[in-house]
Amino acid sequence: MIKKLAVEKWKDLKSRRFILLFLMHRYGLLVIPDWLGSANKNGVELGPSFIENSILSSELKKRFSCFSNINVPEPDKKHLNGEYKNIKYLPEIKEMCLEAKKETEKIIEAGDVPVVLNGDDSALIGVLTGIASKFGNDYALIYIDAHGDINTPESSPSGKIFGMVLAHLMGLGNKELIKLNGKFPSLKKENLILIGQRDLDPGEVVFIKENNINTFSAEEVNEKSSKEVVENIFSRLNGINEVFVHIDLDVLDPEECSGFSMPVPNGIKIKKLIRLVKEIIKKSPKNIGLSVGEYNPKKDKKNKTRNVTLKIIKDYINN
């Protein structure tokens, strides 16, 4: 009798686990070793595969139903000057973004939530046009980054596309990249939340002010409770359901960790970033994607930045 009850209990437990797994979200990992926005390789191109390998060798692997790697074209040095002076490596980045868009769409069509590992941020133009093609442009983008990434070719001091991501998603800038958006911009300016920006170009400062872009400083995130900050974020989103979160790791305070190429002083503390993202995940009615970029293993001391990245991904897929 005791043995029979034990077997029945085990079967019931097994059944409940099966149901739980069935109800849990599925995720697709999209790996983009993009470095073209930087104009030269500095280690950031290695970051996505380092994080992917860590996922593949851990329990996190079980939560991903597909793995996809995007090819980054070998660039033509002629595409750094002349007509490309203000928008470097445009042909190669456009090709990469088209592939990133298609792969993002495939992940969503399969019923999965995309988790994106990118080098620099240029490829996000493709990822988020894929998001918009499936969800429309009435989603929220929470963009956590030390930099604005909101220049146009005309306002950019460097001509590097990784500093123009948001402008192109909003339909401003180079026509070839804007065309990726389809019939409408892939992002509404009122649905954009900037967090942690503290290294802005003059044109970005003007754009943010003139367009009333929602911003939250690193100082605010560090000083206030994460719950309070997130309540404030969602109060500005007017009931939007779908939320995509992007994290550029250089938003972190370089005094705490070093695994990124463009450190900016006075960043968000590690514990604060982890708590902030956790609260966003909990508060969001529907999480439609996560991207993490700028990890540079060449500069990461004791794998500290890698471990932060894995913790954020783990929290995201286990919400």
Side-chain angles (χ1 to χ4, degrees):
M1 181 67 178
I2 294 173
K3 186 177 180 181
K4 184 178 180 182
L5 287 172
V7 170
E8 288 176 355
K9 187 175 181 180
W10 181 85
K11 286 182 178 178
D12 183 54
L13 180 62
K14 188 177 181 182
S15 176
R16 277 184 288 170
R17 283 180 178 171
F18 175 80
I19 293 169
L20 182 62
L21 285 170
F22 179 79
L23 292 174
M24 291 170 83
H25 291 301
R26 300 190 313 166
Y27 296 88
L29 191 70
L30 183 56
V31 181
I32 314 176
D34 177 20
W35 61 273
L36 297 175
S38 304
N40 58 73
K41 291 183 179 181
N42 56 27
V44 75
E45 75 283 357
L46 304 172
S49 62
F50 268 64
I51 301 298
E52 180 188 25
N53 289 336
S54 295
I55 289 172
L56 290 172
S57 61
S58 73
E59 287 293 309
L60 294 177
K61 179 183 177 181
K62 296 178 181 178
R63 297 302 310 280
F64 291 94
S65 56
C66 64
F67 296 80
S68 180
N69 286 263
I70 298 297
N71 176 59
V72 178
E74 195 62 33
D76 186 338
K77 295 295 183 182
K78 294 178 183 177
H79 297 155
L80 281 173
N81 298 297
E83 64 179 302
Y84 301 107
K85 181 181 179 181
N86 296 326
I87 190 150
K88 294 176 169 60
Y89 290 147
L90 172 63
E92 292 84 356
I93 289 175
K94 179 184 174 183
E95 179 183 335
M96 175 183 65
C97 284
L98 280 168
E99 187 178 351
K101 178 183 180 180
K102 290 176 183 176
E103 290 302 313
T104 301
E105 290 171 340
K106 285 181 184 178
I107 289 171
I108 296 168
E109 286 166 2
D112 298 338
V113 177
V115 173
V116 184
L117 305 175
N118 51 290
D120 66 39
D121 296 337
S122 305
L124 284 176
I125 297 173
V127 171
L128 289 166
T129 52
I131 291 289
S133 74
K134 292 301 176 183
F135 292 98
N137 65 357
D138 201 22
Y139 69 96
L141 173 60
I142 298 178
Y143 204 85
I144 307 172
D145 194 329
H147 305 89
D149 294 354
I150 207 164
N151 273 307
T152 63
E154 292 72 31
S155 70
S156 172
S158 67
K160 296 175 181 178
I161 292 176
F162 70 177
M164 310 180 196
V165 172
L166 297 174
H168 282 93
L169 290 168
M170 291 187 283
L172 304 168
N174 178 270
K175 290 181 180 179
E176 290 186 49
L177 292 179
I178 291 172
K179 283 179 183 177
L180 297 179
N181 297 351
K183 296 180 180 179
F184 52 83
S186 291
L187 176 65
K188 294 180 179 179
K189 63 184 180 182
E190 61 268 28
N191 296 351
L192 172 63
I193 302 286
L194 296 178
I195 301 177
Q197 283 71 20
R198 56 196 186 277
D199 185 10
L200 298 170
D201 295 319
E204 294 178 310
V205 173
V206 172
F207 185 91
I208 289 168
K209 184 176 180 180
E210 289 184 348
N211 290 278
N212 297 313
I213 303 296
N214 294 297
T215 61
F216 294 82
S217 68
E219 183 181 19
E220 186 174 358
V221 173
N222 285 332
E223 291 182 355
K224 294 183 178 180
S225 74
S226 298
K227 190 170 184 179
E228 182 182 357
V229 173
V230 171
E231 288 288 344
N232 199 351
I233 289 170
F234 280 87
S235 72
R236 301 188 193 185
L237 290 175
N238 299 317
I240 289 175
N241 287 322
E242 291 91 2
V243 176
F244 189 100
V245 178
H246 168 65
I247 302 163
D248 188 316
L249 292 164
D250 63 26
V251 79
L252 287 163
D253 193 329
E255 289 188 1
E256 287 197 327
C257 58
S258 59
F260 33 84
S261 300
M262 300 176 68
V264 183
N266 304 314
I268 297 176
K269 302 298 183 183
I270 290 173
K271 288 183 179 179
K272 281 291 188 176
L273 179 63
I274 290 171
R275 288 173 188 163
L276 177 72
V277 177
K278 257 189 168 181
E279 286 294 331
I280 290 170
I281 295 165
K282 283 168 56 180
K283 184 71 175 176
S284 170
K286 184 176 182 180
N287 293 298
I288 61 171
L290 170 73
S291 64
V292 184
E294 189 60 30
Y295 175 56
N296 188 336
K298 286 186 175 181
K299 298 192 174 188
D300 193 14
K301 295 177 183 177
K302 298 181 180 179
N303 294 324
K304 197 169 185 180
T305 312
R306 183 200 66 179
N307 294 339
V308 173
T309 305
L310 292 172
K311 171 62 175 168
I312 288 170
I313 293 171
K314 183 178 179 180
D315 287 345
Y316 191 83
I317 67 177
N318 287 331
N319 75 87

